[in-house]
């Protein structure tokens, strides 16, 4: 470095250091009686807990608190109202603490808005960024402030307040609120003959990831020829298993999320299948008492089943509306925020955020049921009670971070998981003897026609009013004999079964049918090469298909099969 540049840099650094020292001396003089630990503690607290009005949060950091976002909001509103209406004089110690917080907030603002930009300029002069990141010294952006004020939610997407919900009203335009377009009409839909799309979410080489992709708005929910029988089956499961199929936890945040889920689903159905579903006015006065129930309620008219369901009556829970009309499962996930006690070793503890399963309707579960998961965190659902391979080591951190920061309402996602089953079991609790027996041995008399691929096609979306994450999925069954006519699927699937991760395959439960499926896939792969349906490739050439989660030419074959069912 030239001498002139060196001297100039030293001069800039000396100037900046002088400004910083003067500021610190002033802070030290003002607060010497409190000790430096209290000053640094309070400065960090003021920095990290600035609310949308620029004032320091009044949360007591030396108390154990376990509160929902709604409870925190209610506490803040209560504190504000009582502080403005009370005529009692605060104690001297309370005044001192309040003045200290106010002064610290002012000092914090001075450092961030005045001193920090000057230091940034000094350390980054000449276009260089020597040893200080300017972004760390800059004032908080609006999005960062929003994120700090609403832990557990993406910046700018905190739950709506009660006043905001009342202003929005019932059955709002969720397309505008969420940024996700309403679906196009599904023309030609036939509830007796339409087929589900042929999902084949096979990946090779397989790595345990979330495997997410952008959700297709037209295919958030999917009705097909099993609609009537599946709805009947789900109602029977609820009658038999009760709260192990449908349940919810108490709390206003859960109630708001359940209501919002129901509204979004029924409005989506009406737009996607307008010939089969209608929303009409309900002139009955006994409507539900939530804060968005003013005025006339609605009735969902289901022309497929020939039933009418009031949506705003007190005696019909929103989750039951979903059970009666939608052959898919729904789970509502909300953040649970815990503020741990401060200690001398950790005077400013960070809040712990756990996303927990708060309510839903789950009829498509193998080896578990809703009662074994309700109230649990994502980690406990997938690892502690679910034994998902590699979850704790590879997925736990990224999942929690994704739910907190990376799933805004306008970016819903989709994914698929698969397993192999004998027959088409929809629901099998952990102690189901029949299902346990089927998976305990390889039946030498098992026929290929009796083995099915089960795909749980899943979507996740952030609800714009409650802020909850709505997770839903649909179980789709396909006989493995269908793979014969699906280009490159037999080779790919056979490779996965032969060489896939042992713990992944054990989790998916493939062993009890591998003795039938593996040789069948080898036979189909040879036939496809002979017929020119697939290229000849060895194991090193096998890879996830470009058309995943489908296969080459899938749509033409799917449409052809539908036309055949209709006799066209």
């Amino acid at each position: 470095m030239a001498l002139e540049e060196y001297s100039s840099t030293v001069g800039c650094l000396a100037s900046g250091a002088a400004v910083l020292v003067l500021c610190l001396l002033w802070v030290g003089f003002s607060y010497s009686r409190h000790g430096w630990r209290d000053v640094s503690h309070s400065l960090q607290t003021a920095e990290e807990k600035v609310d949308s009005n620029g004032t320091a949060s009044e949360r007591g950091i030396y108390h154990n608190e376990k509160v929902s976002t709604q409870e925190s909001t209610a506490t803040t509103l209560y504190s504000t109202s009582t502080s403005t209406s009370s005529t009692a004089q605060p104690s001297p110690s309370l005044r001192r603490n309040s003045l200290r917080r106010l002064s610290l907030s002012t000092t914090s603002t001075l450092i961030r808005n005045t001193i920090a930009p000057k230091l940034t300029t000094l350390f980054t002069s000449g276009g260089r960024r020597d040893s200080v990141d300017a972004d760390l010294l800059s004032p908080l952006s609006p999005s960062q402030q929003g994120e700090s004020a609403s832990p557990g939610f993406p910046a700018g997407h905190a739950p709506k307040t009660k006043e905001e919900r009342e202003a929005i009203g019932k059955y709002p335009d969720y397309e505008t609120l969420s940024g996700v377009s309403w679906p196009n009409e599904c023309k030609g839909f036939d509830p007796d003959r339409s087929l589900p799309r042929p999902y084949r979410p096979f990946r090779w080489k397989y790595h345990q990831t979330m495997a997410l992709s952008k959700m297709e708005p037209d295919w958030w929910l999917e009705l097909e020829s099993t609609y009537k029988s599946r709805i009947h089956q789900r109602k029977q499961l609820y009658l038999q298993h009760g709260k192990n199929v449908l349940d919810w936890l108490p709390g206003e945040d859960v109630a708001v999320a359940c209501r919002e889920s129901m509204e979004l689903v029924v409005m989506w159905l009406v737009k996607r299948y307008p010939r089969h579903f209608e929303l009409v006015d309900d002139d009955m006065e006994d409507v539900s008492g939530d804060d968005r129930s003013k005025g006339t309620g609605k009735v969902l008219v289901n022309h497929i089943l020939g039933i009418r369901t009031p949506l705003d009556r007190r005696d019909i829970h929103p989750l039951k509306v979903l059970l009666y009309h939608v052959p898919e499962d729904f789970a509502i996930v909300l953040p649970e925020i815990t503020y741990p006690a401060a200690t001398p070793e950790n005077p400013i503890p960070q809040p712990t955020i756990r996303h927990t399963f708060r309510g839903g309707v789950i009829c498509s579960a193998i080896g578990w049921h809703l009662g074994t998961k309700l109230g649990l965190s994502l980690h406990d659902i997938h690892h502690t009670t679910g034994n998902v391979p590699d979850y704790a080591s590879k997925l736990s951190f990224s999942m929690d971070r994704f739910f907190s920061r990376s799933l805004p309402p306008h970016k819903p996602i989709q994914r698929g998981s698969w397993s192999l089953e004998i027959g088409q079991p929809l629901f099998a609790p952990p102690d189901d003897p029949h299902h346990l027996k089927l998976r305990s041995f390889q039946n030498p008399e098992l026929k290929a026609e009796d083995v099915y691929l089960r795909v749980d096609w899943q979507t996740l979306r952030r609800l714009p009013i409650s802020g909850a994450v709505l997770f839903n999925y649909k179980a789709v069954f396909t006989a493995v004999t269908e793979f014969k006519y699906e280009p490159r699927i037999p080779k790919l699937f056979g490779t996965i079964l032969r060489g896939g991760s042992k713990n992944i395959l054990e989790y998916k439960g493939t062993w009890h049918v591998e003795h039938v499926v593996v040789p069948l896939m080898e036979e189909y792969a040879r036939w496809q090469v002979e017929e020119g349906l697939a290229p000849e490739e060895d194991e090193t050439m096998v890879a996830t298909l470009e058309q995943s989660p489908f296969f080459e030419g899938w749509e033409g074959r799917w449409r052809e099969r539908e036309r055949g069912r209709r006799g066209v």
Side-chain angles (χ1 to χ4, degrees):
M1 177 185 293
L3 181 60
E4 292 82 5
E5 288 182 280
Y6 182 83
S7 300
S8 176
T9 302
V10 171
C12 290
L13 292 175
S15 300
V19 173
L20 180 59
V21 168
L22 287 174
C23 176
L24 293 176
L25 286 174
W26 177 74
V27 174
F29 175 76
S30 301
Y31 300 104
S32 59
R33 64 181 297 182
H34 298 292
W36 277 106
R37 193 187 75 173
D38 284 348
V39 171
S40 62
H41 173 195
S42 301
L43 278 172
Q44 293 180 60
T45 303
E47 282 288 318
E48 294 174 358
K49 295 180 177 288
V50 175
D51 63 22
S52 59
N53 294 321
T55 58
S57 170
E58 296 297 325
R59 183 183 302 281
I61 63 171
Y62 286 97
H63 296 277
N64 276 323
E65 299 179 299
K66 188 174 184 182
V67 296
S68 68
T69 302
Q70 286 73 16
E71 291 169 338
S72 175
T73 302
T75 302
T76 304
L77 292 173
Y78 176 77
S79 299
T80 302
S81 62
T82 54
S83 65
T84 57
S85 61
S86 174
T87 59
Q89 294 296 319
S91 66
S93 61
L94 179 59
R95 282 201 303 270
R96 285 196 300 271
N97 289 334
S98 298
L99 288 172
R100 180 160 62 95
R101 282 195 294 268
L102 180 59
S103 298
L104 288 172
S105 177
T106 304
T107 304
S108 169
T109 303
L110 174 66
I111 291 174
R112 286 193 290 109
N113 294 344
T114 303
I115 299 174
K118 293 184 181 299
L119 289 176
T120 300
T121 303
L122 291 172
F123 280 96
T124 61
S125 60
R128 295 186 301 274
R129 300 172 68 91
D130 296 331
S131 60
V132 179
D133 190 337
D135 293 338
L136 298 178
L137 294 173
S138 300
L140 288 175
S141 66
S143 64
Q144 289 172 320
Q145 291 183 18
E147 186 172 11
S148 298
S150 304
F153 299 93
H157 298 289
K160 306 297 184 187
T161 65
K162 182 175 182 179
E163 291 74 16
E164 289 173 327
R165 297 198 303 268
E166 289 177 344
I168 291 171
K170 295 188 302 182
Y171 308 101
D173 182 2
Y174 282 101
E175 179 179 67
T176 301
L177 285 173
S178 68
V180 180
S181 62
W182 287 119
N184 295 302
E185 178 183 351
C186 186
K187 297 180 179 179
F189 168 70
D190 186 332
D192 295 318
R193 295 179 175 82
S194 291
L195 295 174
R197 296 196 297 176
Y199 298 106
R200 307 289 183 265
F202 304 140
R203 291 178 289 141
W204 185 258
K205 291 189 171 180
Y206 188 89
H207 300 285
Q208 184 70 308
T209 67
M210 291 189 284
L212 307 177
S213 60
K214 182 180 179 181
M215 189 191 84
E216 303 165 87
D218 281 356
W219 297 98
W220 177 40
L221 308 173
E222 185 175 3
L223 307 188
E224 30 83 11
S225 59
T226 65
Y227 178 78
K228 295 178 184 178
S229 61
R230 193 69 82 208
I231 290 292
H232 175 75
Q233 182 181 14
R234 291 165 65 86
K235 289 181 178 179
Q236 293 301 311
L237 285 171
Y238 178 56
L239 290 175
Q240 181 179 355
H241 298 281
K243 290 190 174 184
N244 285 337
V245 164
L246 188 154
D247 199 7
W248 62 93
L249 296 180
E252 181 186 14
D253 53 349
V254 178
V256 172
C258 289
R259 169 78 195 190
E260 183 181 10
S261 301
M262 182 271 289
E263 287 185 354
L264 179 58
V265 167
V266 299
M267 294 175 72
W268 190 96
L269 287 174
V270 169
K271 292 184 179 295
R272 181 63 169 161
Y273 306 102
R275 293 174 52 243
H276 301 88
F277 296 91
E278 286 184 88
L279 270 181
V280 299
D281 289 340
D282 180 5
D283 55 4
M284 181 136 182
E285 295 181 357
D286 182 28
V287 295
S288 62
D290 65 51
D291 56 348
R292 293 195 293 138
S293 65
K294 297 177 182 179
T296 303
K298 295 289 184 181
V299 171
L300 177 63
V301 181
N302 186 326
H303 294 291
I304 301 175
L305 301 177
I307 60 175
R308 296 165 58 93
T309 303
L311 304 180
D312 300 287
R313 309 281 181 88
R314 289 187 175 90
D315 58 340
I316 302 179
H317 193 274
L319 292 179
K320 291 185 179 180
V321 174
L322 301 182
L323 174 73
Y324 298 156
H325 295 276
V326 189
E328 302 205 13
D329 291 341
F330 296 88
I332 292 169
V333 178
L334 282 161
E336 183 180 85
I337 305 165
T338 304
Y339 291 88
T343 63
E345 296 78 15
N346 186 20
I348 311 175
Q350 294 298 310
T352 300
I353 302 172
R354 303 187 329 147
H355 286 81
T356 56
F357 175 26
R358 305 287 192 89
V361 49
I362 306 291
C363 297
S364 310
I366 300 296
W368 62 281
H369 55 65
L370 183 148
T372 65
K373 307 290 186 180
L374 189 64
L376 298 185
S377 66
L378 295 177
H379 179 84
D380 290 339
I381 288 172
H382 293 92
H383 178 67
T384 307
T385 65
N387 298 317
V388 176
D390 303 324
Y391 183 86
S393 60
K394 296 182 179 180
L395 296 180
S396 183
F397 176 78
S398 59
M399 281 279 284
D400 285 324
R401 186 178 181 87
F402 176 78
F403 272 67
S404 292
R405 302 184 181 185
S406 306
L407 188 62
H410 63 283
K411 292 185 177 180
I413 55 92
Q414 61 187 16
R415 67 180 301 273
S417 65
W418 62 269
S419 61
L420 289 175
E421 304 290 349
I422 297 176
Q424 301 185 40
L426 186 68
F427 181 83
D431 55 352
D432 182 81
H434 177 69
H435 187 260
L436 292 174
K437 181 179 179 180
L438 287 178
R439 291 202 171 194
S440 65
F441 73 108
Q442 292 184 332
N443 184 357
E445 298 181 1
L446 179 65
K447 298 179 180 179
E449 294 79 15
D450 296 328
V451 181
Y452 286 80
L453 171 75
R454 171 179 168 141
V455 172
D456 290 332
W457 191 246
Q458 309 162 359
T459 72
L460 293 95
R461 65 187 304 168
R462 176 90 54 188
L463 300 177
I465 295 177
S466 64
V469 172
L470 181 61
F471 170 77
N472 75 287
Y473 70 96
K474 174 185 179 68
V476 180
F477 293 90
T478 304
V480 295
T481 52
E482 290 290 334
F483 294 175
K484 181 176 183 178
Y485 305 98
E486 300 175 356
R488 303 179 68 185
I489 289 294
K491 184 70 174 182
L492 173 60
F493 194 48
T495 300
I496 293 172
L497 293 179
R498 287 192 304 272
S501 168
K502 182 178 179 181
N503 60 342
I504 294 291
L505 294 176
E506 286 179 354
Y507 174 73
K508 291 182 176 297
T510 63
W511 175 80
H512 65 303
V513 296
E514 286 179 5
H515 64 298
V516 171
V517 178
V518 170
L520 184 68
M521 294 301 106
E522 293 174 347
E523 175 188 339
Y524 286 172
R526 290 192 298 269
W527 180 85
Q528 287 191 354
V529 172
E530 294 170 358
E531 296 295 321
L533 198 61
E536 186 170 2
E537 50 189 359
D538 58 29
E539 297 290 332
T540 63
M541 300 170 62
V542 177
T544 302
L545 302 183
E546 292 182 5
Q547 300 81 9
S548 180
F550 304 108
F551 52 87
E552 183 180 353
W554 71 271
E555 191 165 7
R557 175 168 170 75
W558 174 53
R559 299 293 185 190
E560 181 182 355
R561 293 187 64 217
E562 278 198 332
R563 287 194 295 270
R565 290 172 62 91
R566 295 171 182 170
V568 178

